[in-house]
Amino acid sequence: MDAFSAGLLQRIRNTQSDLCKARETGDDHLADVEQAELEDLQRLAAEHGVSVTAA
C-alpha cells in the first residue's frame, strides 16, 4: 500500500471515530461536520481506487 492510500485510510478511521464520539455526546453540529468530512474522504478514495472496506 502506498503512502497516499495509507494516509487516506487513516484519515477515514480518525473521522469515523470522531463522528462516533460526536454522536455519543449529542453534538449534532459536529456530527454533521464529521459526516460531511467522511463523505468527502470516501469520495476521494473512490476516485483513486482505494478500497475503504479495510478502514
Side-chain angles (χ1 to χ4, degrees):
M1 178 180 301
D2 61 32
F4 173 79
S5 297
L8 185 55
L9 291 174
Q10 183 60 50
R11 288 180 61 196
I12 289 172
R13 283 190 293 270
N14 291 346
T15 303
Q16 288 171 328
S17 176
D18 292 344
L19 176 57
C20 287
K21 289 176 189 173
R23 287 178 175 163
E24 288 171 358
T25 61
D27 190 335
D28 293 336
H29 176 71
L30 182 56
D32 289 344
V33 170
E34 295 296 345
Q35 182 65 48
E37 176 71 9
L38 182 58
E39 289 169 5
D40 286 343
L41 291 169
Q42 290 171 331
R43 178 191 48 76
L44 184 62
E47 288 175 0
H48 293 276
V50 177
S51 174
V52 296
T53 57

